[in-house]
Amino acid sequence: MNNMKNFFSLLLITLSLASPSVSQEKTAAKIDTIMPVRGFCIASPQPDNLDKFLRFIKEELAPRNVNTLILRIDYNYQYTSHPELRDSNALSEKDVKMLVSVCRSCNIRIIPQVNLLGHQSWAGTTGNLLKAYPGFDETPLVKMPDKYVWPNADGLYCKSYCPLHPEVHDVVFAVVDEICDVFEADAFHAGMDEVFYIGDKQCPRCSGRDPAELFAAEVRTIRDHLALNGRTLWIWGDRLLDGKTTGLGEWEASFNNTHRAVDMIPRDVIICDWHYERPDQTPVYFAMKGLSVVTCPWRMPENAVLQANDMVKFRNHSTDEMRERFLGMVQTVWSGSEQFLNSYYGIRKEESPNTAVHCFKALFDEIARLAK
Ligand SMILES: [Zn+2]
């Protein structure tokens, strides 16, 4: 009798232990089916903010089933290949290994980002690459203003490097390889968004060339370099969309004739398709071109929820060929990571409902709901 009682007790314990894990597994399988990439993109933390950031990964990203972390590094790392490019206060190898270890324990894939081609300056400040190597500047005649305003006579948003400069890739690829190695990464994000300066008529190498061909050639060069180490290239999608015909404008799409590059770049480049003000349906365009795509919201929770639902719909209503190109969603954050965490943890008060913090929460609540 006692044995029988013990048997039933054991059975009950086994069942009560088994049922949550079975349902968790089901949810995990469903979430991977509806949304394979569940991403978060943010500037890498400063060294003195690392602990708070690691806690955020463990306590906020992991429980929400985030599985991809795009970390914008640029020169926030103590590069040994090019120490002259380091920020003055940059992450050490030990800091990075802590990020790698925490993300690995949370099943989060880290994709480091260093802006290539465009975004080599910001407002009135030149970035580290062009500061150390002014010869790489696509538009050396455009001087950085004391007081930056947009619009301005030079059409200066951000500087670009010249993709045809004979020495530029030796420098940037050393940096790319080093950052991918230290992060033990199998993918790299090269940025490449909002490139306004390309094929400048004053550039002795680029003038007169087709901007679409120049852009596509740079994508291919970076992609081929990464492929040597089995790594995949991710880029922002805006230069591949026609801003005029679509009405998407000159920021989230191209007004400078780069958009035909969509047919010239290798098909294994992953497109991060960002639309912050409207839930545009452009993922379909990329998927029909044979390119895999993630949708990236920023600060409008309602749009992010619509975009997540669209992503699921695209996967459900597509051919077998196209379905797997709709990879998922990546929440983007464009403040510094410390600023974001201060808002997230209520240290800094948020005035508007339209912020990256609210958008992040709404997006991942919706993904969890869709996966039930
Ligand atoms: Zn050039």
Side-chain angles (χ1 to χ4, degrees):
M1 190 60 187
N2 265 352
N3 275 353
M4 190 63 97
K5 220 168 134 189
N6 284 346
F7 171 75
F8 279 114
S9 303
L10 193 65
L11 188 66
L12 278 176
I13 290 167
T14 313
L15 282 175
S16 66
L17 286 176
S19 6
S21 74
V22 167
S23 80
Q24 273 167 6
E25 266 171 37
K26 254 187 173 170
T27 308
K30 173 115 191 257
I31 205 168
D32 284 335
T33 309
I34 64 157
M35 194 76 67
V37 171
R38 302 171 299 274
F40 187 76
C41 169
I42 192 166
S44 51
Q46 298 294 301
D48 53 6
N49 197 39
L50 182 64
D51 286 345
K52 209 193 273 181
F53 192 75
L54 293 171
R55 183 181 142 208
F56 176 75
I57 294 172
K58 281 187 277 194
E59 295 179 2
E60 307 301 330
L61 295 185
R64 285 181 172 86
N65 285 303
V66 169
N67 64 2
T68 305
L69 176 61
I70 298 173
L71 265 187
R72 298 198 303 275
I73 312 289
D74 290 314
Y75 299 103
N76 178 21
Y77 178 65
Q78 295 174 22
Y79 291 101
T80 55
S81 60
H82 286 282
E84 73 282 9
L85 294 175
R86 296 175 182 179
D87 290 341
S88 53
N89 179 26
L91 294 169
S92 67
E93 183 180 351
K94 197 169 149 240
D95 294 334
V96 169
K97 290 303 181 191
M98 283 168 77
L99 282 161
V100 170
S101 149
V102 165
C103 284
R104 184 168 292 143
S105 70
C106 297
N107 294 316
I108 295 174
R109 174 193 197 195
I110 304 182
I111 302 177
Q113 180 189 315
V114 177
N115 274 315
L116 298 185
L117 192 58
H119 276 276
Q120 302 302 328
S121 69
W122 181 253
T125 309
T126 305
N128 294 8
L129 181 73
L130 295 188
K131 244 191 260 167
Y133 298 92
F136 295 167
D137 192 341
E138 173 70 7
T139 53
L141 298 176
V142 173
K143 298 297 170 208
M144 297 306 283
D146 292 331
K147 192 168 178 291
Y148 179 84
V149 284
W150 178 268
N152 56 69
D154 291 320
L156 170 65
Y157 173 54
C158 293
K159 289 252 185 181
S160 306
Y161 67 62
C162 172
L164 299 186
H165 191 288
E167 284 145 37
V168 71
H169 293 113
D170 286 347
V171 175
V172 296
F173 286 166
V175 163
V176 168
D177 289 349
E178 189 176 348
I179 209 68
C180 287
D181 286 347
V182 72
F183 273 101
E184 302 168 37
D186 62 1
F188 169 79
H189 199 305
M192 306 190 80
D193 55 324
E194 300 169 331
V195 181
F196 286 11
Y197 286 158
I198 186 165
D200 190 80
K201 59 180 188 301
Q202 312 264 21
C203 176
R205 295 165 292 269
C206 298
S207 65
R209 291 185 189 262
D210 178 348
E213 285 184 11
L214 282 169
F215 187 84
E218 183 62 5
V219 172
R220 181 178 290 280
T221 300
I222 300 165
R223 179 260 173 218
D224 287 353
H225 178 78
L226 291 167
L228 294 173
N229 292 306
R231 292 176 177 134
T232 311
L233 173 62
W234 292 47
I235 60 172
W236 302 112
D238 53 81
R239 290 308 92 187
L240 304 174
L241 298 169
D242 177 347
K244 193 132 198 163
T245 308
T246 58
L248 290 171
E250 65 179 326
W251 299 93
E252 60 198 284
S254 171
F255 260 43
N256 56 345
N257 293 311
T258 55
H259 54 276
R260 286 175 299 100
V262 76
D263 290 316
M264 306 175 197
I265 65 170
R267 298 298 98 179
D268 57 4
V269 176
I270 310 291
I271 306 302
C272 297
D273 184 29
W274 61 272
H275 297 288
Y276 301 150
E277 307 303 320
R278 295 168 313 274
D280 295 303
Q281 309 286 295
T282 41
V284 177
Y285 175 73
F286 288 114
M288 291 186 78
K289 292 285 185 185
L291 293 160
S292 294
V293 58
V294 292
T295 297
C296 307
W298 170 34
R299 62 187 180 103
M300 307 287 250
E302 279 174 27
N303 286 350
V305 166
L306 283 169
Q307 286 165 318
N309 280 274
D310 282 343
M311 187 52 65
V312 172
K313 222 179 303 165
F314 296 151
R315 288 179 66 80
N316 285 341
H317 298 174
S318 294
T319 58
D320 289 344
E321 284 78 359
M322 283 218 287
R323 180 172 301 115
E324 294 312 316
R325 295 180 200 141
F326 296 107
L327 293 180
M329 301 287 300
V330 174
Q331 169 69 41
T332 62
V333 176
W334 295 102
S335 59
S337 60
E338 183 162 20
Q339 204 180 336
F340 175 82
L341 292 183
N342 283 344
S343 301
Y344 188 87
Y345 289 114
I347 298 162
R348 187 168 158 273
K349 208 167 152 33
E350 302 225 280
E351 303 298 339
S352 160
N354 295 326
T355 66
V357 169
H358 293 308
C359 191
F360 162 66
K361 288 180 179 169
L363 172 62
F364 282 91
D365 284 352
E366 186 64 10
I367 293 173
R369 195 189 66 77
L370 289 163
K372 274 197 182 133

